[in-house]
């Protein structure tokens, strides 16, 4: 007997293939159709029982009397709205009739906040029912026919019901049990076999082909599951499912550490090689980061006491975060703001409160609330949202430390130490920076990651990607960290220590001399003007940069204003920030990079669908052009800065001339609207090989070009800047990158445009003579390196820089270029 499934919504029906989420488009959760809703109430598509109602109210599942299981999922990525805009009208276990209202939702609010409103309507046990008829590419009203389902005959499925039942127990390695995505993977695996496969968890038994049945098993990490199979290929099916369940299906709390290759250079005994993330020298005892689990009691001593304890702990943590933000300022403050928002997050507080009311201790309730959120983020499968899990883990630990009186990691570290760790979160680094650390050595990490950028900004000598060799270093070992040559001496002799101390003293003297001359203009020894600017994120950075002698800012990372918050800053807020930066730099040029979101810099309120390869996806100007409202607001805020023209505009991640033309046209229109007659410079960042190779085309229409060597290196070498497994090779002094830089300068010169460098290479003393020899006339470095950069330039003639750059272009590897740079420095 067939079953008619009617439409749960008024709207436009289309095939699943067009849904921009592979989980639905590839039918991993079942077959069906998708509806672009035109109504705000989801109604029952058949008579049946409500089997699942997601806690966020964005999805509901029904089982019809005939056994068909149907899932209606309102919009994409809507789990992250945490119930906002959804009003469930039924509860699990309720019997409903066709047309009964199930969920009402606020179409405007959901449409604004979600990736898409498209609503898949799926048969999740599609192996038991064939869809013989379905409506597609047509308008439907609620309760109009949508799909016809016919039960699959047992014969047709070639099940051998008289076969022997075989079974095997397995312990779940999935960190959050079987939720939607693992269920879809299990279903997918089983669909490759003929056998009947069921999973048993305690008393509950679920068909492995049914997502909903698997969710209803209510499993968690470590749950004992029995897998049962019966039929022709039962053994193979059983083995496949058991093997899958034994893995974490890629959902581990942190990806399994990839083997990290330390740089392949021959090093002296006791020396451990690494990649320079922030140049400098440091000497001090090693201190390892210990991340002991914080134990909390399960049962509380009473709801009133536990509530009071939670409030006190939150007040404590809030105070500490605010103090840290105040002390550090700059980009650090933006990360701290994100943490403050989490401490007061109503969803987290509501979930903790419910647990306390049920008798849990404050710590247990907070941990549970945070982990529910982590599960929800992970379940979205959205890489950008998943990256926010680190912040949740961080805030969980901070609050539990306050509740239990457990010292935080920072409190256990004495000043003058060198931190040795596997890897570090940006927020951890910020917390630790107040301890007076003098250096950092990481087994993993990448030289252009945000941690590396923060280290460079703090002037903290750092090596990353040192590999497992770093494991031999124990707490208290004296280390000589040489982030100029790229190694740590872990067993220094007395003579080593003495020589290193001398170098440190010379370095300090050199820095002091540079600082004394910081305010003077910068020309090479033979009179060529080279501008030395600073990279900044905030007004505090601008003040620091000005004090270091920066002649302007060659890169204002405006995204720091946009990150770690729930909504984009308003035009007035942006204007105030840009004006304050311009004022701090007292009339000097300020190059504001347009919002550079995407890739490793997500902003939750700018939805970017899941991407296989975010580094090659929605990034930089592509995102801004896709959100013209955001772009226009930012441009207006920049154009309002007085005096007009002090702020220049720079476009990130340019891959083609069209992008420059689109921004230039918008700037001109806005200038017209705002009555601005003074021209405003618009330049492009050269971060893609495409921009480098078409620098002449870009230079014909851009006012300037500035090379972002962090991204350019990633794209030229095809090495992800955030992947520790390739970090050892990710050196911007690779001859291929240098040739791109040389070619950019040559092509831009055909139109008389200046070329600058604002990527990490501008803060690398070994690179400066080469960059200037290649034709770069502006460098924008971290504020702490500005004074030294000026000294390097002053000691250099253009003739010798060009000859040196020519040799560098002929080198066979980045290591050869570094050796050449050392020799160049020593012979002067
Ligand atoms: C770069 O890519 O070199 C750059 C300056 O931009 P960011 O590091 O902010 O991506
Ligand atoms: Mg970049």
């Amino acid at each position: 007997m067939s079953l008619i499934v009617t439409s749960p919504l008024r709207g436009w029906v289309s095939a699943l293939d067009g849904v921009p989420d592979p989980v639905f488009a590839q039918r991993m959760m079942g077959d069906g159709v998708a509806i672009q809703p035109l109504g705000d109430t989801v109604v029952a598509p058949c008579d049946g029982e409500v089997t699942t109602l997601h806690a966020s109210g964005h999805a509901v599942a029904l089982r019809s009397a005939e056994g068909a299981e149907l899932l209606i999922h309102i919009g994409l990525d809507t789990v992250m709205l945490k119930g906002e805009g959804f009003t469930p009208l039924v509860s699990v276990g309720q019997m409903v009739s066709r047309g009964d209202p199930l969920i009402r939702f606020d179409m405007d609010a959901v449409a604004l906040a979600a990736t898409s409103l498209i609503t898949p309507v799926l048969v999740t046990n599609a192996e038991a029912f064939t869809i013989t008829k379905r409506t597609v590419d047509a308008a439907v009203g609620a309760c109009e026919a949508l799909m016809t389902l016919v039960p699959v005959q047992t014969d047709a499925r070639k099940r051998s019901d008289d076969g022997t039942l075989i079974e095997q127990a397995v312990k779940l390695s999935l960190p959050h049990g079987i939720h939607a995505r693992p269920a879809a993977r299990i279903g997918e695996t089983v669909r490759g076999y003929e056998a009947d496969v069921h999973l048993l968890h305690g008393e509950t038994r679920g068909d492995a082909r049914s997502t909903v049945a698997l969710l209803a098993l209510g499993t968690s990490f470590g749950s004992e599951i029995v897998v049962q199979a019966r039929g022709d290929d039962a053994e193979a099916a059983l083995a496949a499912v058991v093997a899958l369940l034994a893995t974490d299906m890629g959902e581990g709390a942190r990806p399994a550490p990839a083997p990290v290759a330390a740089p392949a250079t021959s090093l002296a005994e006791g020396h451990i090689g690494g990649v320079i993330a922030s140049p400098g020298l440091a000497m001090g005892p090693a201190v390892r980061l210990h991340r002991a689990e914080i134990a909390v009691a399960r049962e509380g001593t009473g709801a009133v006491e536990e509530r009071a304890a939670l409030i006190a702990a939150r007040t404590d943590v809030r105070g500490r975060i605010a103090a840290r933000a105040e002390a550090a300022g700059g980009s650090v403050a933006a990360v701290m703001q994100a943490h403050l928002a989490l401490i007061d997050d109503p969803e987290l507080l509501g979930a903790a409160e419910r647990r306390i009311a049920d008798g849990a201790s404050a710590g247990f309730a907070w941990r549970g609330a945070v982990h529910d959120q982590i599960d929800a983020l992970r379940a979205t499968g959205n890489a950008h949202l998943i990256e926010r899990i680190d912040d949740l883990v961080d805030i969980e630990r901070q609050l539990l430390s306050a509740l239990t009186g457990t010292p935080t990691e920072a409190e256990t570290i004495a000043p003058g130490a060198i931190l040795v760790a596997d890897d570090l979160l940006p927020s951890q680094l910020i917390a630790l920076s107040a301890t007076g650390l003098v250096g950092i050595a990481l087994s993993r990490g990448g030289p252009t990651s945000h941690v590396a950028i923060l280290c460079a900004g703090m002037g903290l000598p750092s090596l990353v990607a040192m590999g497992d060799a770093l494991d031999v270093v124990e707490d208290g070992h004296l280390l000589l960290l040489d982030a100029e040559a790229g190694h740590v001496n872990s067993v220094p002799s007395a003579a080593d220590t003495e020589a290193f101390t001398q170098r440190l003293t010379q370095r300090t003297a050199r820095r002091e001399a540079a600082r004394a001359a910081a305010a003077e203009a910068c020309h090479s020894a033979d009179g060529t003007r080279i501008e030395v600017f600073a990279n900044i994120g905030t007004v505090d950075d601008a003040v620091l940069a000005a004090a270091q002698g920066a002649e302007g800012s060659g890169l204002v990372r405006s995204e720091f204003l946009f990150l770690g918050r729930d909504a984009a800053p308003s035009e007035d807020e942006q204007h105030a920030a840009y004006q304050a930066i311009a004022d701090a730099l007292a009339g000097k040029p300020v190059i504001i990079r347009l919002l550079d979101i995407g890739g490793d810099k997500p902003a939750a309120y700018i939805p970017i669908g899941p991407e296989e390869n975010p580094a090659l996806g929605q990034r930089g100007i592509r995102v801004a052009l896709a959100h013209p409202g955001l772009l226009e607001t930012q441009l207006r805020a920049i154009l309002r800065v007085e005096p007009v023209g002090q702020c220049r505009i720079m476009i990130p991640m340019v891959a083609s001339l069209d992008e420059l033309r689109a921004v230039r046209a918008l700037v001109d229109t806005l200038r017209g609207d705002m009555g601005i007659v003074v021209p405003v410079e618009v330049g492009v960042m050269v971060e893609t090989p495409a921009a480098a190779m078409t620098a002449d085309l870009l230079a014909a229409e851009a006012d300037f070009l500035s090379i972002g060597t962090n991204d350019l290196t990633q794209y030229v070498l095809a090495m992800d800047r955030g992947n520790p497994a390739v970090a050892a090779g990710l050196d911007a002094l690779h001859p291929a990158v240098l040739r791109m830089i040389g070619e950019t300068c040559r092509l831009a010169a055909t139109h008389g445009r200046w070329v600058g460098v604002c990527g990490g290479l501008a803060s690398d003393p070994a690179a400066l003579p080469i960059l200037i020899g290649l034709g770069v006339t502006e460098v924008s470095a971290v504020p702490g390196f500005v004074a030294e950069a000026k000294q390097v330039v002053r000691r250099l003639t253009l003739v010798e820089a060009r000859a040196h750059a020519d040799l560098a272009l002929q080198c066979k590897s980045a290591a050869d270029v570094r050796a050449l740079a050392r020799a160049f420095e020593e012979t002067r």
Side-chain angles (χ1 to χ4, degrees):
M1 229 203 12
S2 62
L3 163 68
I4 307 276
V5 173
T6 51
S7 179
L9 275 165
R10 183 165 70 82
W12 179 265
V13 194
S14 51
L16 282 177
D17 310 69
V19 177
D21 183 334
V23 167
F24 297 114
Q26 293 169 18
R27 296 166 173 74
M28 287 163 72
M29 292 187 74
D31 197 6
V33 294
I35 301 179
Q36 189 65 45
L38 293 171
D40 66 357
T41 306
V42 171
V43 300
C46 60
D47 297 347
E49 181 187 348
V50 178
T51 50
T52 311
L53 183 65
H54 199 282
S56 324
H58 70 289
V60 60
L62 299 183
R63 186 182 304 117
S64 78
E66 298 78 2
E69 283 168 354
L70 300 165
L71 174 73
I72 304 157
H73 191 285
I74 308 169
L76 302 182
D77 288 335
T78 34
V79 67
M80 73 188 191
L81 305 188
K82 302 174 188 164
E84 194 83 12
F86 295 97
T87 313
L89 305 170
V90 287
S91 46
V92 173
Q94 191 173 327
M95 299 304 295
V96 290
S97 304
R98 186 188 303 278
D100 283 353
L102 303 176
I103 298 175
R104 183 160 300 123
F105 61 102
D106 178 337
M107 283 184 74
D108 290 341
V110 176
L112 276 176
T115 312
S116 163
L117 261 187
I118 192 107
T119 298
V121 180
L122 308 176
V123 182
T124 53
N125 58 343
E127 78 296 336
F129 286 86
T130 307
I131 304 175
T132 55
K133 212 165 143 193
R134 67 183 100 196
T135 307
V136 279
D137 298 331
V140 283
C143 293
E144 285 181 13
L146 193 64
M147 298 184 274
T148 305
L149 311 188
V150 176
V152 175
Q153 295 305 313
T154 313
D155 285 356
R157 291 166 72 193
K158 294 199 198 79
R159 299 261 173 87
S160 84
D161 284 341
D162 51 3
T164 323
L165 182 79
I166 54 170
E167 60 178 43
Q168 189 174 334
V170 60
K171 204 176 188 149
L172 273 194
S173 300
L174 289 162
H176 310 292
I178 303 177
H179 61 89
R181 273 162 211 276
R185 290 276 309 272
I186 296 167
E188 218 184 11
T189 304
V190 177
R191 277 190 268 282
Y193 299 90
E194 299 292 342
D196 260 333
V197 182
H198 282 80
L199 266 55
L200 251 83
H201 179 222
E203 300 291 287
T204 323
R205 188 165 185 264
D207 186 335
R209 290 178 170 86
S210 160
T211 307
V212 181
L214 292 182
L215 298 187
L217 291 176
T219 57
S220 55
F221 175 75
S223 291
E224 298 276 358
I225 302 287
V226 176
V227 185
Q228 298 181 327
R230 189 198 302 271
D232 288 350
D233 51 5
E235 268 183 33
L238 185 80
V241 175
V242 167
L244 182 65
L245 289 177
T247 70
D248 66 3
M249 301 193 203
E251 302 224 328
R254 302 201 132 232
V260 175
T265 40
S266 49
L267 292 167
E269 182 74 16
H271 285 53
I272 306 165
V275 180
I276 300 165
S278 167
L281 303 175
M283 178 166 76
V287 58
R288 281 205 162 266
L289 205 54
H290 297 292
R291 268 203 145 197
E293 206 39 59
I294 301 174
V296 287
R298 190 184 185 92
E299 307 293 332
T301 52
V304 177
E305 288 88 340
E306 298 301 333
R307 238 171 247 140
L310 187 61
I311 290 173
R314 284 175 50 222
T315 309
D316 182 8
V317 174
R318 213 185 281 117
R320 288 182 203 206
I321 294 178
R324 239 183 271 144
E326 168 109 26
S331 33
V332 170
V335 179
M336 296 293 99
Q337 280 308 328
H339 285 190
L340 278 178
L342 286 177
I343 283 284
D344 293 325
D345 185 282
E347 177 85 5
L348 283 178
L349 293 178
E353 168 56 33
R354 283 193 290 281
R355 286 174 162 85
I356 289 177
D358 287 347
S361 73
F364 195 78
W366 182 252
R367 176 168 275 165
V370 169
H371 280 263
D372 278 358
Q373 281 301 313
I374 290 177
D375 289 352
L377 288 185
R378 213 186 290 283
T380 63
N382 179 327
H384 304 311
L385 292 175
I386 289 172
E387 281 183 16
R388 298 199 64 188
I389 288 175
D390 283 343
D391 288 327
L392 281 162
V393 171
D394 212 321
I395 210 68
E396 177 201 338
R397 290 185 66 81
Q398 290 191 44
L399 207 109
L400 295 188
S401 292
L403 266 174
T404 59
T406 314
T408 59
E409 288 131 2
E411 284 161 355
T412 60
I413 294 179
I418 293 180
L419 179 77
V420 177
D422 188 40
D423 205 351
L424 214 52
L425 304 173
S427 54
Q428 281 179 302
L429 171 64
I430 289 160
L432 293 167
S433 62
T435 62
L437 282 178
V438 293
I440 291 187
L442 301 180
S443 306
R444 299 163 63 74
T448 56
S449 66
H450 280 119
V451 164
I453 289 171
L454 285 172
C455 285
M458 293 171 186
L460 200 56
S462 312
L463 292 175
V464 296
M466 302 191 72
D468 298 340
L470 205 58
D471 292 352
V472 300
V473 176
E474 286 174 16
D475 265 335
H477 270 173
L478 178 68
L479 298 182
L480 309 182
L481 183 141
D482 187 339
E484 282 175 355
H487 58 70
V488 160
N489 182 346
S490 62
V491 283
S493 64
D496 291 340
T497 309
E498 198 185 315
F500 200 83
T501 309
Q502 256 184 27
R503 279 179 68 199
L504 269 170
T505 314
Q506 282 164 2
R507 197 167 201 279
T508 312
R510 222 174 37 234
R511 282 189 146 189
E512 276 165 12
R515 294 239 164 95
E520 291 161 27
C522 184
H523 292 88
S524 67
D526 49 0
T528 305
R529 174 82 173 109
I530 304 288
E531 291 173 306
V532 181
F533 287 2
N535 291 352
I536 62 175
T538 63
V539 66
D540 293 332
D541 294 344
V543 171
L544 175 67
Q548 302 279 335
E551 299 169 293
S553 173
L555 169 62
V556 178
R557 286 190 161 96
S558 70
E559 59 276 6
F560 277 119
L561 265 174
F562 290 73
L563 296 176
R565 48 191 293 162
D566 294 331
S570 66
E571 182 182 318
D572 284 348
E573 185 182 345
Q574 289 188 58
H575 169 250
Y578 304 146
Q579 185 68 60
I581 288 173
D583 292 346
L585 285 164
K588 299 187 181 95
V590 173
I591 300 181
I592 301 185
R593 170 170 74 185
L594 297 176
L595 182 60
D596 187 20
I597 288 291
D600 61 339
K601 287 179 272 193
Y605 56 88
I606 305 179
I608 296 176
E611 294 181 313
E612 280 270 302
N613 196 341
L616 302 183
Q618 288 291 298
R619 286 208 52 187
I621 193 59
R622 300 170 195 172
V623 175
L625 289 173
H627 295 84
L630 272 180
L631 179 59
E632 200 175 310
T633 304
Q634 183 172 32
L635 288 174
R636 293 179 72 88
I638 298 172
L639 291 172
R640 277 171 56 195
V641 175
E642 302 274 353
V644 179
Q646 183 188 351
C647 287
R648 306 171 187 174
I649 292 162
M650 182 159 75
I651 313 173
M653 286 301 297
V654 167
S656 77
L657 185 57
D658 290 347
E659 290 157 333
L660 166 62
R661 286 185 173 165
V663 175
R664 171 83 78 185
L666 193 53
V667 169
D668 288 345
T669 307
L670 291 175
R671 276 176 55 225
D673 294 349
M674 296 164 77
I676 296 173
V677 287
V678 179
V680 175
E681 291 194 13
V682 179
V684 297
M685 285 191 79
V686 176
E687 296 177 284
T688 62
M693 289 297 98
T694 55
D696 51 340
L697 306 182
L698 293 168
E701 298 186 31
D703 293 303
F704 60 89
L705 279 68
S706 181
I707 304 177
T709 50
N710 305 335
D711 276 311
L712 186 62
T713 306
Q714 138 164 288
Y715 296 121
V716 168
L717 300 184
M719 290 181 183
D720 181 343
R721 64 191 271 187
N723 183 346
V726 296
L730 201 72
D731 190 333
L733 282 184
H734 191 295
V737 182
L738 296 182
R739 288 178 187 208
M740 283 273 174
I741 297 173
E743 202 52 12
T744 304
C745 293
R746 190 184 67 77
L747 293 170
T750 59
H751 293 277
R753 299 291 176 219
W754 63 262
V755 176
V757 169
C758 61
L761 215 50
S763 304
D764 184 343
L768 282 185
I770 301 174
L771 293 178
I772 290 162
L774 289 173
V776 168
T777 57
E778 179 252 30
V779 285
S780 193
V782 292
F785 184 63
V786 166
E788 279 180 78
K790 284 182 156 182
Q791 287 294 70
V792 173
V793 173
R794 289 180 188 126
R795 291 170 52 223
L796 197 70
T797 65
L798 211 58
V799 178
E800 63 180 344
R802 282 192 184 132
H804 178 46
D806 279 348
L807 289 176
L809 291 180
Q810 300 314 314
C811 281
K812 296 188 174 52
S813 66
D816 285 357
V817 177
R818 290 211 172 268
L820 178 76
R822 270 196 300 279
F824 181 73
E825 184 54 33
E826 277 159 18
T827 54
R828 305 174 67 238

